[in-house]
Amino acid sequence: MQLRVTCLPGDGIGPEVTSQAVRILQEVADGFGHDLKLDQKEIGGAALVKFGNPLPDATIQSCLASQAVLLGAVGSPAFDHNPRELRPEAGLLRLRQELGAFANLRPAVFYPALAACSPLREELVKGTDILIVRELLGGLYFGQPRSIEGTSGSRHAVNTMRYSEPEIERIARVAFKLANTRRRRLLSVDKSNVLECSRLWREVVTRIGGDFPDVQLSHMYVDSAAMALVLKPAQFDVILTENMFGDILSDQAGGVVGALGLLASASIGGPVGLYEPVHGSAPDIAGKGIANPLGAILSVAMMFRHTFQLPREAECVEAGVISVLKGGLRTPDLSRGGERTVTTDEMGEKIAEFVRLAANADTRVAR
Ligand code: IPM
Ligand code: MG
């Protein structure tokens, strides 16, 4: 099968982690007999430097001509004082919009090999396997009006949280369908004791729940969900929530399982899927070859599952990650108590090796 992918390395550690993710993508394609057509383009700060635009037209065109986009990270302190439309983040937000990627899936899974990384006692965190389904194109991130107005000293700022019924309905359906493929428990997180958006959210999610009688639906306010996520992370299956709450809870979920660097994401719902690690550009460690590529590599696994509908290929990548972690490979962010560390490149190389052997065995069995 042909796999048309656009890679957007972006800023900071983005290029380092995506180059390992592309290596795995290529290895899986070779091993399973697919034809990878890869294009590479600029986004974020890298695009601002070259074209004065965080999302140049050529980038959008390439992404729209692909089946999937693999993104590294955007953001750089060099642009902290730019106006909003000329910040690297604006490029990512526009890309999500251009791709119609309204459903952001962020799994947070506890790996027993990394028990030492979680700040929680193992008995609390073990078994944690959460899928956060974050609405990605609505709420405070995109709501109009938005502005900062007035003169210095007496300025005021406005952001608008806005959700329509169809927007809530479409993300709810995605979450219910995914819950049906898992443990069939869906927690919808809102703040309906205070916000109108959340009242509508809860009403619509409850109504859609009627179409999914096998999924057990519950609701929680975002503040108590934040606490429960730390106290009893293993109780969660699918968490459905709006854009901003999902942004916050997904980083927290990364902390709970021990490393944000491990977390992958898929942004789907439109014609082209967008796959990116949850972590940011980490300018403090960029260029040192020590960034954790696992979030980016696991995003490739999600790409195989959600865009290409190739679950065996996805499982192969995931098995590679579990295998190297069991084997004791640790980038510095995963190393505890003086464990020996490997570079970004060594981590990628070992997973590529695993994929090569596994794909070989797999295709032999299939024949
Ligand atoms: C994320 C990031 C982005 C977001 C930023 C970089 C715009 O934090 O993907 O979680 O807030 O959505
Ligand atoms: Mg975030």
Side-chain angles (χ1 to χ4, degrees):
M1 152 172 187
Q2 201 182 70
L3 315 175
R4 281 177 289 116
V5 177
T6 296
C7 177
L8 310 176
D11 306 324
I13 60 172
E16 295 161 65
V17 299
T18 47
S19 76
Q20 297 311 314
V22 164
R23 173 186 205 163
I24 302 306
L25 187 57
Q26 187 68 62
E27 200 69 65
V28 175
D30 294 347
F32 287 82
H34 303 297
D35 174 20
L36 176 65
K37 290 263 180 293
L38 190 72
D39 194 8
Q40 187 161 311
K41 287 282 181 288
E42 288 79 14
I43 193 170
L48 274 166
V49 168
K50 222 166 144 181
F51 306 105
N53 178 349
L55 187 68
D57 284 346
T59 299
I60 303 178
Q61 293 319 322
S62 173
C63 292
L64 289 173
S66 312
Q67 294 157 286
V69 176
L70 175 67
L71 186 135
V74 296
S76 155
F79 307 102
D80 273 356
H81 300 293
N82 279 23
R84 182 168 54 84
E85 320 75 63
L86 292 179
R87 287 184 60 113
E89 291 81 0
L92 173 58
L93 295 176
R94 262 189 56 214
L95 180 64
R96 289 173 177 170
Q97 245 178 341
E98 296 281 348
L99 300 183
F102 68 84
N104 183 215
L105 320 185
R106 299 192 156 181
V109 178
F110 171 71
Y111 294 104
L114 294 180
C117 291
S118 173
L120 299 183
R121 290 197 305 279
E122 189 173 350
E123 71 208 71
L124 289 181
V125 67
K126 92 168 174 265
T128 297
D129 178 355
I130 304 172
L131 176 63
I132 297 182
V133 178
R134 169 189 177 197
E135 199 292 325
L136 203 57
L137 295 183
L140 283 168
Y141 276 65
F142 295 96
Q144 293 291 344
R146 61 186 298 162
S147 65
I148 303 181
E149 274 165 35
T151 49
S152 186
S154 60
R155 287 173 299 169
H156 61 267
V158 178
N159 287 100
T160 303
M161 189 187 266
R162 184 186 294 274
Y163 270 106
S164 68
E165 290 199 54
E167 276 176 303
I168 303 169
E169 177 165 342
R170 65 181 184 176
I171 188 71
R173 289 199 184 277
V174 170
F176 275 107
K177 280 187 195 147
L178 286 164
N180 246 334
T181 68
R182 295 169 49 100
R183 299 191 303 281
R184 296 199 167 82
R185 288 205 310 271
L186 179 67
L187 174 71
S188 175
V189 170
D190 62 39
K191 187 73 184 175
S192 60
N193 50 344
V194 177
L195 301 176
E196 278 71 15
C197 277
S198 284
R199 286 185 53 180
L200 186 65
W201 181 277
R202 192 175 282 216
E203 198 189 301
V204 173
V205 171
T206 304
R207 171 165 58 78
I208 303 302
D211 294 346
F212 296 87
D214 297 336
V215 176
Q216 187 196 328
L217 169 66
S218 53
H219 305 270
M220 219 186 247
Y221 299 142
V222 63
D223 48 353
S224 29
M227 182 174 69
L229 192 54
V230 171
L231 290 181
K232 289 184 186 173
Q235 80 177 8
F236 295 98
D237 181 15
V238 178
I239 297 179
L240 163 64
T241 193
E242 65 89 43
N243 206 345
M244 178 71 117
F245 298 160
D247 179 45
I248 297 169
L249 292 178
S250 58
D251 269 34
Q252 191 188 335
V256 164
V257 297
L260 193 56
L262 283 176
L263 266 56
S265 84
S267 303
I268 57 173
V272 179
L274 171 62
Y275 297 85
E276 51 174 319
V278 174
H279 65 69
S281 56
D284 51 324
I285 59 161
K288 296 187 177 159
I290 57 170
N292 182 350
L294 295 181
I297 290 172
L298 288 167
S299 299
V300 166
M302 294 191 84
M303 183 188 292
F304 277 115
R305 183 166 288 118
H306 295 284
T307 289
F308 299 126
Q309 314 269 317
L310 294 170
R312 275 192 313 138
E313 283 77 343
E315 279 155 26
C316 179
V317 175
E318 287 158 356
V321 169
I322 291 173
S323 155
V324 299
L325 290 177
K326 272 196 185 145
L329 255 66
R330 302 284 183 267
T331 42
D333 59 315
L334 302 177
S335 146
R336 296 291 181 276
E339 277 173 323
R340 202 178 76 78
T341 62
V342 297
T343 63
T344 311
D345 187 72
E346 284 166 325
M347 186 65 108
E349 184 185 331
K350 284 287 183 302
I351 297 174
E353 238 166 61
F354 176 97
V355 167
R356 205 171 309 138
L357 293 172
N360 218 310
D362 194 288
T363 42
R364 251 188 287 124
V365 172
R367 273 188 218 117

